[in-house]
Amino acid sequence: MPQASELKAFFSARIAENTHSLYTLALRLTANAADAEDPVAESVAKAWSVIGSLQDRQRFRPWIFRILHNRFISDYRKKSVRPAETHYTELDKGEDSEQVAQLLTQQPDEFLLWWANPEREFTNNLLAEDLIAAIDSLPEVFRTTVILINIEGLSYDETAEVLNVSPGTVRSRMNRGRTLLQKALWQHAKDADLITASR
Amino acid sequence: MANESDKPKAREIDCLEAFDHLYAYLNNEITDQADLANIEHHLSHCKSCYSRAEMEQKLNQRMKHAGETPIPASLQDRLNKLIDDL
């Protein structure tokens, strides 16, 4: 049984290490700086109150991300902090068995042509705010998966733990989320004349 | 030490199958050695998928930086107080 002072020191250090990550996730989930602070502070308080449930200290990151994510799901979405564009049941329907071909054939031909022949300078021309806007445009289940893996560097197993789904579902959400992200970026680039008009 | 003959022989896969494994590959999440051999083989000879993989990798790097948002002082103060009061 760890000493209270040792546990507090451990918790304080992990919170200091992860504050930026927690705020990043909260900010992208709420898309509003003012709304992102409360979930982080409340999740940290909640985490301390249930610190006994952390069985493996190496899993602190997925454990506290899960607390924050649950907080967002249970409280903030109900309060419509962000427009409820996501319908979990619809988006998750058949997710594990989703066929890649089906995913791609749902995209416009113009996008597919570009998708198969990406322009090298495309990513260089994108601004950070373009990327953030594209990430924010993703339905919540895909947005969270992309943030946890591609921004926060969590593994598929850790992400599955945060979202309480199977690693296979995480893999599927990653494929779909990144395809939707590409589509959003392509649309933006097209509108802003960042890609060749003839494509 | 594993030698070349221990590696699974790559199977020819098409672009759709390669796409199915692409993000797992870029995220270092492919554990099946046969799947790994297949996508690496495909990327070695498919210019289109190689370009796509290269672009997705660049996008990964850009996303990491795009997520760098400073923590508001008000939040940091709240957390400091919360930790002090534990």
Side-chain angles (χ1 to χ4, degrees):
Chain A
M1 191 77 163
Q3 294 290 318
S5 59
E6 191 274 332
L7 194 57
K8 182 180 167 181
F10 162 79
F11 186 77
S12 305
R14 295 295 87 74
I15 292 301
E17 286 169 6
N18 287 289
T19 301
H20 188 270
S21 296
L22 292 169
Y23 181 66
T24 297
L25 179 61
L27 186 59
R28 299 275 64 85
L29 286 174
T30 59
N32 182 324
D35 290 330
E37 292 192 25
D38 282 354
V40 174
E42 289 166 17
S43 294
V44 170
K46 167 83 175 176
W48 177 249
S49 74
V50 296
I51 188 72
S53 70
L54 176 65
Q55 293 176 346
D56 178 356
R57 290 188 176 194
Q58 299 298 319
R59 308 290 284 186
F60 184 87
R61 259 166 82 78
W63 177 78
I64 195 155
F65 272 127
R66 182 170 180 172
I67 290 171
L68 175 63
H69 186 251
N70 286 347
R71 186 83 186 175
F72 174 76
I73 296 299
S74 63
D75 290 350
Y76 287 87
R77 204 170 55 170
K78 280 182 196 162
K79 291 177 189 168
S80 298
V81 167
R82 187 185 172 101
E85 86 285 18
T86 303
H87 302 285
Y88 270 75
T89 48
E90 284 303 308
L91 291 171
D92 278 342
K93 199 181 285 176
E95 195 175 61
D96 283 331
S97 60
E98 181 179 43
Q99 296 296 308
V100 175
Q102 187 191 348
L103 176 68
L104 285 175
T105 52
Q106 289 165 352
Q107 309 302 329
D109 289 346
E110 198 187 359
F111 170 73
L112 290 177
L113 180 64
W114 174 83
W115 198 89
N117 299 281
E119 293 172 30
R120 283 176 181 270
E121 68 275 21
F122 171 67
T123 46
N124 297 333
N125 292 337
L126 287 171
L127 301 174
E129 50 258 44
D130 298 331
L131 263 175
I132 291 298
I135 292 169
D136 284 353
S137 75
L138 296 177
E140 185 196 305
V141 288
F142 306 123
R143 186 167 69 239
T144 307
T145 303
V146 167
I147 292 165
L148 290 174
I149 294 169
N150 294 136
I151 295 182
E152 296 307 330
L154 263 63
S155 68
Y156 284 18
D157 273 352
E158 289 171 328
T159 304
E161 192 177 326
V162 175
L163 303 177
N164 197 26
V165 295
S166 71
T169 297
V170 170
R171 185 179 185 281
S172 177
R173 287 182 183 180
M174 168 57 56
N175 284 357
R176 195 161 168 191
R178 286 295 292 259
T179 303
L180 292 173
L181 183 73
Q182 287 286 349
K183 194 177 164 189
L185 288 171
W186 168 75
Q187 189 61 53
H188 166 78
K190 215 173 93 163
D191 294 346
D193 284 333
L194 294 178
I195 54 177
T196 311
S198 60
R199 283 176 183 261
Chain B
M1 193 172 143
N3 61 45
E4 283 298 309
S5 62
D6 293 334
K7 287 187 177 175
K9 190 168 162 39
R11 176 173 60 82
E12 289 294 342
I13 57 174
D14 62 19
C15 296
L16 283 179
E17 192 174 343
F19 170 69
D20 191 35
H21 293 297
L22 181 62
Y23 297 109
Y25 174 71
L26 294 176
N27 293 322
N28 295 316
E29 290 282 351
I30 296 186
T31 51
D32 186 305
Q33 292 304 304
D35 285 343
L36 188 61
N38 292 344
I39 189 162
E40 285 183 338
H41 175 66
H42 183 84
L43 292 177
S44 73
H45 66 78
C46 177
K47 191 179 167 195
S48 170
C49 287
Y50 180 81
S51 297
R52 163 98 347 229
E54 202 178 30
M55 183 178 148
E56 296 285 1
Q57 192 109 42
K58 266 194 201 169
L59 204 52
N60 281 349
Q61 290 163 3
R62 296 291 307 274
M63 274 203 283
K64 279 202 197 308
H65 295 301
E68 289 169 358
T69 315
I71 303 165
S74 52
L75 175 61
Q76 192 61 65
D77 289 346
R78 275 176 82 175
L79 293 180
N80 290 344
K81 183 171 185 329
L82 203 149
I83 296 291
D84 286 346
D85 291 346
L86 293 180

